[in-house]
Amino acid sequence: QVQLVESGGGLVQPGGSLRLSCAASGITFSIHVMGWYHQAPGKQRELVGTISRDGVTSYADSVKGRFAISRDNAKSTLYLQMNSLKPEDTAVYYCNALGSYFPWGQGTQVTVSS
C-alpha cells in the first residue's frame, strides 16, 4: 500500500524558513523522480520542484533560489527547505512522483503571514 505522509508545515512570518518532510512507504522510493507540489486556496495544484534519482533538482521560477529539495533514499524521505518565505507561498504542500501517479497524501499547510 503506497503512502505519502507530509509534515513540517506551520505558520511562519515573511522572510522565515521551514523544512518539510515527506515519508514514503510501499514504493521503491529510490527509483522515482520525486516532486513537491503546492495548492493555494482557490487555485490548482502546481509543481514546485523536482529531484531526480541521483539528486539533480529543478524548480519553478517562483521559488528558484529560495527553496531546495533533497532526498534520503535510505530513509525513503523527501525534503523541502523553504527560505525567504513570502505570503504568496501560503498553500498546502504535497509530495508525489513527477507525473503524480501515486495516491496523494494529506499534505501539510504552510501559512506565511505577519
Side-chain angles (χ1 to χ4, degrees):
Q1 180 180 353
V2 177
Q3 194 170 18
L4 301 171
V5 179
E6 301 90 350
S7 62
L11 173 63
V12 63
Q13 292 188 342
S17 298
L18 282 174
R19 189 191 194 209
L20 308 184
S21 298
C22 167
S25 59
I27 64 173
T28 306
F29 179 79
S30 62
I31 69 172
H32 298 282
V33 177
M34 295 297 295
W36 281 98
Y37 300 75
H38 68 192
Q39 186 168 20
K43 296 188 176 182
Q44 290 192 341
R45 195 171 294 169
E46 298 178 333
L47 182 64
V48 172
T50 62
I51 185 167
S52 71
R53 291 173 289 184
D54 54 359
V56 177
T57 54
S58 66
Y59 301 96
D61 287 345
S62 60
V63 306
K64 204 170 291 184
R66 300 188 298 120
F67 290 11
I69 298 174
S70 60
R71 66 192 298 164
D72 185 333
N73 288 334
K75 295 182 178 180
S76 297
T77 302
L78 186 71
Y79 302 100
L80 179 65
Q81 179 67 44
M82 311 167 70
N83 299 324
S84 302
L85 281 160
K86 303 176 181 180
E88 50 264 42
D89 295 320
T90 295
V92 180
Y93 284 74
Y94 303 86
C95 68
N96 209 314
L98 181 63
S100 57
Y101 45 80
F102 294 130
W104 292 100
Q106 83 289 346
T108 187
Q109 175 71 48
V110 172
T111 302
V112 184
S113 175
S114 54

Short mmCIF file of all heavy atoms in Angstrom, two decimals, residues 27-81:
data_model
loop_
_atom_site.label_atom_id
_atom_site.label_comp_id
_atom_site.label_asym_id
_atom_site.label_seq_id
_atom_site.Cartn_x
_atom_site.Cartn_y
_atom_site.Cartn_z
N ILE A 27 6.65 1.89 -1.69
CA ILE A 27 7.24 2.09 -3.01
C ILE A 27 8.75 1.90 -2.93
O ILE A 27 9.32 1.99 -1.83
CB ILE A 27 6.94 3.50 -3.58
CG1 ILE A 27 7.60 4.59 -2.71
CG2 ILE A 27 5.45 3.74 -3.71
CD1 ILE A 27 7.50 5.99 -3.30
N THR A 28 9.36 1.66 -4.08
CA THR A 28 10.83 1.67 -4.15
C THR A 28 11.23 3.11 -4.42
O THR A 28 11.42 3.53 -5.56
CB THR A 28 11.32 0.73 -5.26
OG1 THR A 28 10.77 -0.58 -5.05
CG2 THR A 28 12.84 0.64 -5.22
N PHE A 29 11.36 3.85 -3.32
CA PHE A 29 11.49 5.31 -3.39
C PHE A 29 12.65 5.74 -4.29
O PHE A 29 12.52 6.69 -5.05
CB PHE A 29 11.70 5.82 -1.96
CG PHE A 29 11.88 7.29 -1.83
CD1 PHE A 29 10.79 8.16 -1.88
CD2 PHE A 29 13.15 7.84 -1.65
CE1 PHE A 29 10.96 9.53 -1.75
CE2 PHE A 29 13.33 9.21 -1.51
CZ PHE A 29 12.22 10.05 -1.56
N SER A 30 13.74 5.03 -4.21
CA SER A 30 14.97 5.49 -4.87
C SER A 30 14.89 5.53 -6.38
O SER A 30 15.68 6.24 -7.02
CB SER A 30 16.14 4.61 -4.44
OG SER A 30 15.92 3.27 -4.84
N ILE A 31 13.95 4.84 -6.99
CA ILE A 31 13.93 4.78 -8.45
C ILE A 31 13.06 5.86 -9.08
O ILE A 31 13.01 6.00 -10.29
CB ILE A 31 13.47 3.39 -8.95
CG1 ILE A 31 11.98 3.16 -8.64
CG2 ILE A 31 14.34 2.30 -8.38
CD1 ILE A 31 11.43 1.90 -9.29
N HIS A 32 12.36 6.63 -8.24
CA HIS A 32 11.39 7.59 -8.77
C HIS A 32 11.93 9.01 -8.73
O HIS A 32 12.57 9.43 -7.76
CB HIS A 32 10.10 7.55 -7.95
CG HIS A 32 9.40 6.22 -8.01
ND1 HIS A 32 8.65 5.83 -9.10
CD2 HIS A 32 9.38 5.20 -7.14
CE1 HIS A 32 8.18 4.62 -8.87
NE2 HIS A 32 8.61 4.20 -7.70
N VAL A 33 11.65 9.75 -9.81
CA VAL A 33 11.82 11.20 -9.76
C VAL A 33 10.69 11.73 -8.89
O VAL A 33 9.52 11.46 -9.15
CB VAL A 33 11.76 11.83 -11.16
CG1 VAL A 33 11.88 13.34 -11.07
CG2 VAL A 33 12.83 11.24 -12.05
N MET A 34 11.04 12.49 -7.87
CA MET A 34 10.04 12.97 -6.92
C MET A 34 9.88 14.47 -7.02
O MET A 34 10.78 15.19 -7.45
CB MET A 34 10.45 12.59 -5.49
CG MET A 34 10.49 11.10 -5.22
SD MET A 34 8.88 10.29 -5.39
CE MET A 34 7.97 11.06 -4.04
N GLY A 35 8.72 14.92 -6.59
CA GLY A 35 8.46 16.35 -6.66
C GLY A 35 7.67 16.85 -5.47
O GLY A 35 7.00 16.08 -4.79
N TRP A 36 7.78 18.15 -5.25
CA TRP A 36 6.92 18.84 -4.29
C TRP A 36 5.93 19.68 -5.09
O TRP A 36 6.30 20.31 -6.10
CB TRP A 36 7.74 19.75 -3.38
CG TRP A 36 8.42 19.02 -2.27
CD1 TRP A 36 9.72 18.61 -2.23
CD2 TRP A 36 7.83 18.61 -1.03
NE1 TRP A 36 9.98 17.97 -1.04
CE2 TRP A 36 8.83 17.96 -0.29
CE3 TRP A 36 6.56 18.74 -0.47
CZ2 TRP A 36 8.60 17.43 0.98
CZ3 TRP A 36 6.32 18.21 0.80
CH2 TRP A 36 7.34 17.56 1.51
N TYR A 37 4.70 19.68 -4.63
CA TYR A 37 3.62 20.43 -5.26
C TYR A 37 2.99 21.32 -4.19
O TYR A 37 3.06 21.02 -3.00
CB TYR A 37 2.55 19.47 -5.79
CG TYR A 37 3.04 18.48 -6.82
CD1 TYR A 37 3.80 17.37 -6.46
CD2 TYR A 37 2.72 18.63 -8.17
CE1 TYR A 37 4.23 16.45 -7.40
CE2 TYR A 37 3.15 17.73 -9.12
CZ TYR A 37 3.90 16.64 -8.73
OH TYR A 37 4.33 15.73 -9.67
N HIS A 38 2.35 22.37 -4.61
CA HIS A 38 1.55 23.14 -3.66
C HIS A 38 0.22 23.55 -4.29
O HIS A 38 0.08 23.63 -5.51
CB HIS A 38 2.32 24.34 -3.08
CG HIS A 38 2.62 25.43 -4.06
ND1 HIS A 38 3.50 26.45 -3.77
CD2 HIS A 38 2.18 25.71 -5.30
CE1 HIS A 38 3.57 27.28 -4.78
NE2 HIS A 38 2.79 26.84 -5.72
N GLN A 39 -0.74 23.77 -3.39
CA GLN A 39 -2.07 24.19 -3.83
C GLN A 39 -2.53 25.31 -2.93
O GLN A 39 -2.78 25.11 -1.73
CB GLN A 39 -3.07 23.03 -3.79
CG GLN A 39 -4.43 23.39 -4.36
CD GLN A 39 -5.30 22.17 -4.60
OE1 GLN A 39 -5.08 21.11 -4.02
NE2 GLN A 39 -6.30 22.31 -5.46
N ALA A 40 -2.61 26.49 -3.50
CA ALA A 40 -3.09 27.66 -2.77
C ALA A 40 -4.61 27.69 -2.81
O ALA A 40 -5.23 27.08 -3.69
CB ALA A 40 -2.52 28.93 -3.39
N PRO A 41 -5.23 28.38 -1.86
CA PRO A 41 -6.70 28.44 -1.83
C PRO A 41 -7.27 28.93 -3.16
O PRO A 41 -6.84 29.95 -3.69
CB PRO A 41 -6.98 29.43 -0.70
CG PRO A 41 -5.78 29.34 0.18
CD PRO A 41 -4.63 29.09 -0.73
N GLY A 42 -8.21 28.17 -3.70
CA GLY A 42 -8.87 28.56 -4.93
C GLY A 42 -8.07 28.35 -6.19
O GLY A 42 -8.51 28.77 -7.27
N LYS A 43 -6.92 27.72 -6.07
CA LYS A 43 -6.07 27.51 -7.24
C LYS A 43 -5.79 26.03 -7.45
O LYS A 43 -6.00 25.20 -6.56
CB LYS A 43 -4.76 28.27 -7.08
CG LYS A 43 -4.91 29.78 -7.02
CD LYS A 43 -3.57 30.47 -7.05
CE LYS A 43 -3.74 31.98 -7.09
NZ LYS A 43 -2.42 32.68 -7.15
N GLN A 44 -5.30 25.71 -8.63
CA GLN A 44 -4.96 24.33 -8.93
C GLN A 44 -3.61 23.96 -8.30
O GLN A 44 -2.78 24.82 -8.02
CB GLN A 44 -4.89 24.13 -10.45
CG GLN A 44 -6.24 24.20 -11.14
CD GLN A 44 -6.16 23.70 -12.58
OE1 GLN A 44 -5.10 23.64 -13.17
NE2 GLN A 44 -7.30 23.34 -13.13
N ARG A 45 -3.43 22.69 -8.09
CA ARG A 45 -2.17 22.19 -7.58
C ARG A 45 -1.08 22.42 -8.63
O ARG A 45 -1.29 22.16 -9.81
CB ARG A 45 -2.30 20.71 -7.25
CG ARG A 45 -1.21 20.14 -6.39
CD ARG A 45 -1.58 18.73 -5.96
NE ARG A 45 -2.75 18.74 -5.08
CZ ARG A 45 -3.42 17.65 -4.72
NH1 ARG A 45 -3.04 16.47 -5.17
NH2 ARG A 45 -4.45 17.73 -3.93
N GLU A 46 0.08 22.90 -8.17
CA GLU A 46 1.17 23.22 -9.08
C GLU A 46 2.45 22.54 -8.62
O GLU A 46 2.67 22.33 -7.42
CB GLU A 46 1.41 24.73 -9.13
CG GLU A 46 0.26 25.55 -9.65
CD GLU A 46 0.56 27.04 -9.60
OE1 GLU A 46 1.37 27.47 -8.76
OE2 GLU A 46 -0.02 27.78 -10.41
N LEU A 47 3.31 22.28 -9.56
CA LEU A 47 4.60 21.69 -9.26
C LEU A 47 5.56 22.77 -8.77
O LEU A 47 5.73 23.79 -9.43
CB LEU A 47 5.16 21.00 -10.50
CG LEU A 47 6.49 20.27 -10.36
CD1 LEU A 47 6.38 19.10 -9.40
CD2 LEU A 47 6.96 19.79 -11.73
N VAL A 48 6.18 22.52 -7.64
CA VAL A 48 7.15 23.46 -7.07
C VAL A 48 8.56 23.13 -7.54
O VAL A 48 9.34 24.01 -7.89
CB VAL A 48 7.09 23.41 -5.53
CG1 VAL A 48 8.22 24.23 -4.91
CG2 VAL A 48 5.74 23.89 -5.02
N GLY A 49 8.87 21.86 -7.57
CA GLY A 49 10.20 21.44 -7.99
C GLY A 49 10.32 19.94 -7.97
O GLY A 49 9.45 19.25 -7.43
N THR A 50 11.38 19.46 -8.57
CA THR A 50 11.60 18.02 -8.66
C THR A 50 13.05 17.67 -8.31
O THR A 50 13.93 18.54 -8.34
CB THR A 50 11.32 17.49 -10.07
OG1 THR A 50 12.22 18.11 -10.99
CG2 THR A 50 9.89 17.78 -10.50
N ILE A 51 13.25 16.40 -8.02
CA ILE A 51 14.59 15.89 -7.79
C ILE A 51 14.69 14.52 -8.44
O ILE A 51 13.82 13.67 -8.27
CB ILE A 51 14.93 15.85 -6.28
CG1 ILE A 51 16.38 15.42 -6.06
CG2 ILE A 51 13.95 14.96 -5.52
CD1 ILE A 51 16.87 15.66 -4.64
N SER A 52 15.75 14.34 -9.18
CA SER A 52 15.95 13.07 -9.87
C SER A 52 16.45 12.00 -8.90
O SER A 52 16.72 12.26 -7.73
CB SER A 52 16.96 13.25 -11.00
OG SER A 52 18.26 13.45 -10.46
N ARG A 53 16.58 10.80 -9.42
CA ARG A 53 17.03 9.69 -8.58
C ARG A 53 18.42 9.94 -7.98
O ARG A 53 18.71 9.49 -6.88
CB ARG A 53 17.05 8.40 -9.40
CG ARG A 53 15.67 7.90 -9.76
CD ARG A 53 15.73 6.72 -10.70
NE ARG A 53 16.18 7.11 -12.03
CZ ARG A 53 16.26 6.29 -13.05
NH1 ARG A 53 15.96 5.01 -12.89
NH2 ARG A 53 16.65 6.71 -14.22
N ASP A 54 19.24 10.68 -8.74
CA ASP A 54 20.60 10.93 -8.25
C ASP A 54 20.80 12.36 -7.76
O ASP A 54 21.93 12.82 -7.64
CB ASP A 54 21.64 10.57 -9.31
CG ASP A 54 21.37 11.28 -10.63
OD1 ASP A 54 20.39 12.02 -10.72
OD2 ASP A 54 22.17 11.08 -11.57
N GLY A 55 19.68 13.06 -7.49
CA GLY A 55 19.79 14.33 -6.79
C GLY A 55 19.83 15.58 -7.63
O GLY A 55 20.04 16.67 -7.09
N VAL A 56 19.58 15.49 -8.91
CA VAL A 56 19.53 16.68 -9.74
C VAL A 56 18.17 17.36 -9.56
O VAL A 56 17.14 16.71 -9.66
CB VAL A 56 19.76 16.34 -11.22
CG1 VAL A 56 19.64 17.59 -12.08
CG2 VAL A 56 21.14 15.70 -11.40
N THR A 57 18.19 18.65 -9.28
CA THR A 57 16.96 19.35 -8.94
C THR A 57 16.57 20.37 -10.01
O THR A 57 17.41 20.85 -10.77
CB THR A 57 17.10 20.09 -7.61
OG1 THR A 57 18.26 20.94 -7.66
CG2 THR A 57 17.26 19.11 -6.45
N SER A 58 15.29 20.68 -10.03
CA SER A 58 14.78 21.77 -10.86
C SER A 58 13.62 22.41 -10.11
O SER A 58 12.96 21.75 -9.31
CB SER A 58 14.32 21.27 -12.23
OG SER A 58 13.21 20.41 -12.09
N TYR A 59 13.41 23.71 -10.38
CA TYR A 59 12.44 24.47 -9.59
C TYR A 59 11.60 25.38 -10.47
O TYR A 59 12.04 25.85 -11.52
CB TYR A 59 13.17 25.33 -8.55
CG TYR A 59 14.01 24.53 -7.61
CD1 TYR A 59 15.38 24.36 -7.84
CD2 TYR A 59 13.44 23.93 -6.49
CE1 TYR A 59 16.16 23.60 -6.97
CE2 TYR A 59 14.22 23.17 -5.62
CZ TYR A 59 15.57 23.01 -5.88
OH TYR A 59 16.32 22.26 -5.01
N ALA A 60 10.39 25.64 -9.98
CA ALA A 60 9.57 26.67 -10.60
C ALA A 60 10.26 28.01 -10.40
O ALA A 60 10.94 28.24 -9.39
CB ALA A 60 8.19 26.68 -9.96
N ASP A 61 10.06 28.92 -11.35
CA ASP A 61 10.70 30.24 -11.27
C ASP A 61 10.34 30.96 -9.97
O ASP A 61 11.16 31.71 -9.42
CB ASP A 61 10.29 31.09 -12.46
CG ASP A 61 10.97 30.63 -13.75
OD1 ASP A 61 11.95 29.87 -13.68
OD2 ASP A 61 10.49 31.03 -14.83
N SER A 62 9.13 30.74 -9.49
CA SER A 62 8.66 31.47 -8.31
C SER A 62 9.42 31.12 -7.03
O SER A 62 9.39 31.89 -6.07
CB SER A 62 7.17 31.23 -8.11
OG SER A 62 6.92 29.84 -7.92
N VAL A 63 10.10 29.97 -7.01
CA VAL A 63 10.79 29.55 -5.79
C VAL A 63 12.29 29.38 -6.00
O VAL A 63 13.01 29.10 -5.04
CB VAL A 63 10.19 28.23 -5.24
CG1 VAL A 63 8.69 28.36 -5.03
CG2 VAL A 63 10.52 27.05 -6.13
N LYS A 64 12.74 29.56 -7.22
CA LYS A 64 14.16 29.35 -7.52
C LYS A 64 15.02 30.28 -6.67
O LYS A 64 14.75 31.47 -6.55
CB LYS A 64 14.38 29.62 -9.01
CG LYS A 64 15.59 28.94 -9.60
CD LYS A 64 15.59 29.09 -11.12
CE LYS A 64 14.49 28.30 -11.77
NZ LYS A 64 14.54 28.37 -13.25
N GLY A 65 16.04 29.70 -6.06
CA GLY A 65 16.94 30.47 -5.21
C GLY A 65 16.48 30.56 -3.76
O GLY A 65 17.23 31.01 -2.90
N ARG A 66 15.25 30.16 -3.48
CA ARG A 66 14.71 30.22 -2.11
C ARG A 66 14.43 28.84 -1.54
O ARG A 66 14.55 28.63 -0.33
CB ARG A 66 13.42 31.04 -2.08
CG ARG A 66 13.59 32.47 -2.55
CD ARG A 66 12.32 33.29 -2.32
NE ARG A 66 11.17 32.79 -3.05
CZ ARG A 66 10.04 32.36 -2.48
NH1 ARG A 66 9.91 32.36 -1.16
NH2 ARG A 66 9.04 31.93 -3.22
N PHE A 67 14.03 27.92 -2.39
CA PHE A 67 13.66 26.57 -1.96
C PHE A 67 14.72 25.57 -2.43
O PHE A 67 15.35 25.77 -3.49
CB PHE A 67 12.32 26.15 -2.54
CG PHE A 67 11.11 26.86 -1.98
CD1 PHE A 67 11.23 27.97 -1.16
CD2 PHE A 67 9.84 26.40 -2.29
CE1 PHE A 67 10.12 28.62 -0.65
CE2 PHE A 67 8.72 27.03 -1.78
CZ PHE A 67 8.85 28.15 -0.97
N ALA A 68 14.88 24.50 -1.66
CA ALA A 68 15.82 23.45 -2.03
C ALA A 68 15.23 22.10 -1.70
O ALA A 68 14.78 21.87 -0.56
CB ALA A 68 17.15 23.64 -1.31
N ILE A 69 15.22 21.23 -2.68
CA ILE A 69 14.71 19.87 -2.50
C ILE A 69 15.89 18.92 -2.31
O ILE A 69 16.90 19.03 -3.01
CB ILE A 69 13.88 19.42 -3.72
CG1 ILE A 69 12.66 20.34 -3.89
CG2 ILE A 69 13.43 17.98 -3.57
CD1 ILE A 69 11.86 20.06 -5.15
N SER A 70 15.73 17.99 -1.40
CA SER A 70 16.73 16.95 -1.20
C SER A 70 16.00 15.64 -0.89
O SER A 70 14.79 15.64 -0.65
CB SER A 70 17.70 17.32 -0.07
OG SER A 70 17.01 17.50 1.15
N ARG A 71 16.75 14.58 -0.92
CA ARG A 71 16.16 13.27 -0.66
C ARG A 71 17.15 12.39 0.08
O ARG A 71 18.36 12.51 -0.11
CB ARG A 71 15.69 12.61 -1.96
CG ARG A 71 16.81 12.23 -2.91
CD ARG A 71 16.26 11.85 -4.30
NE ARG A 71 15.39 10.67 -4.22
CZ ARG A 71 14.55 10.32 -5.20
NH1 ARG A 71 14.47 11.05 -6.30
NH2 ARG A 71 13.82 9.22 -5.07
N ASP A 72 16.60 11.49 0.88
CA ASP A 72 17.38 10.47 1.56
C ASP A 72 16.79 9.13 1.13
O ASP A 72 15.76 8.70 1.68
CB ASP A 72 17.32 10.66 3.08
CG ASP A 72 18.24 9.69 3.83
OD1 ASP A 72 18.51 8.60 3.29
OD2 ASP A 72 18.64 10.04 4.94
N ASN A 73 17.40 8.50 0.16
CA ASN A 73 16.84 7.26 -0.38
C ASN A 73 16.85 6.14 0.66
O ASN A 73 15.97 5.27 0.64
CB ASN A 73 17.59 6.85 -1.64
CG ASN A 73 17.28 7.74 -2.82
OD1 ASN A 73 16.21 8.36 -2.89
ND2 ASN A 73 18.21 7.85 -3.74
N ALA A 74 17.82 6.15 1.55
CA ALA A 74 17.88 5.11 2.58
C ALA A 74 16.69 5.20 3.54
O ALA A 74 16.25 4.19 4.09
CB ALA A 74 19.18 5.22 3.36
N LYS A 75 16.19 6.41 3.72
CA LYS A 75 15.04 6.63 4.62
C LYS A 75 13.73 6.80 3.86
O LYS A 75 12.69 7.05 4.47
CB LYS A 75 15.28 7.87 5.49
CG LYS A 75 16.44 7.74 6.45
CD LYS A 75 16.58 8.99 7.31
CE LYS A 75 17.72 8.85 8.30
NZ LYS A 75 17.87 10.07 9.15
N SER A 76 13.79 6.71 2.53
CA SER A 76 12.58 6.91 1.71
C SER A 76 11.89 8.22 2.07
O SER A 76 10.66 8.27 2.24
CB SER A 76 11.61 5.74 1.86
OG SER A 76 12.19 4.55 1.40
N THR A 77 12.69 9.26 2.19
CA THR A 77 12.16 10.55 2.63
C THR A 77 12.61 11.66 1.69
O THR A 77 13.77 11.71 1.28
CB THR A 77 12.59 10.85 4.07
OG1 THR A 77 12.13 9.81 4.93
CG2 THR A 77 12.01 12.18 4.55
N LEU A 78 11.67 12.54 1.40
CA LEU A 78 11.90 13.71 0.56
C LEU A 78 11.81 14.94 1.44
O LEU A 78 10.99 14.99 2.38
CB LEU A 78 10.82 13.77 -0.53
CG LEU A 78 10.93 14.83 -1.60
CD1 LEU A 78 12.09 14.50 -2.53
CD2 LEU A 78 9.63 14.90 -2.39
N TYR A 79 12.62 15.94 1.15
CA TYR A 79 12.64 17.16 1.95
C TYR A 79 12.45 18.39 1.07
O TYR A 79 12.81 18.39 -0.10
CB TYR A 79 13.97 17.30 2.70
CG TYR A 79 14.28 16.15 3.61
CD1 TYR A 79 15.16 15.14 3.21
CD2 TYR A 79 13.70 16.05 4.88
CE1 TYR A 79 15.45 14.07 4.05
CE2 TYR A 79 13.98 14.98 5.71
CZ TYR A 79 14.85 14.00 5.29
OH TYR A 79 15.14 12.94 6.13
N LEU A 80 11.91 19.44 1.69
CA LEU A 80 11.82 20.73 1.02
C LEU A 80 12.24 21.80 2.03
O LEU A 80 11.52 22.05 3.00
CB LEU A 80 10.39 21.01 0.53
CG LEU A 80 10.19 22.35 -0.16
CD1 LEU A 80 11.00 22.43 -1.46
CD2 LEU A 80 8.71 22.60 -0.46
N GLN A 81 13.40 22.38 1.80
CA GLN A 81 13.86 23.50 2.62
C GLN A 81 13.36 24.78 1.99
O GLN A 81 13.63 25.07 0.82
CB GLN A 81 15.40 23.52 2.70
CG GLN A 81 15.96 24.67 3.50
CD GLN A 81 15.61 24.59 4.97
OE1 GLN A 81 15.70 23.53 5.58
NE2 GLN A 81 15.21 25.72 5.54
#
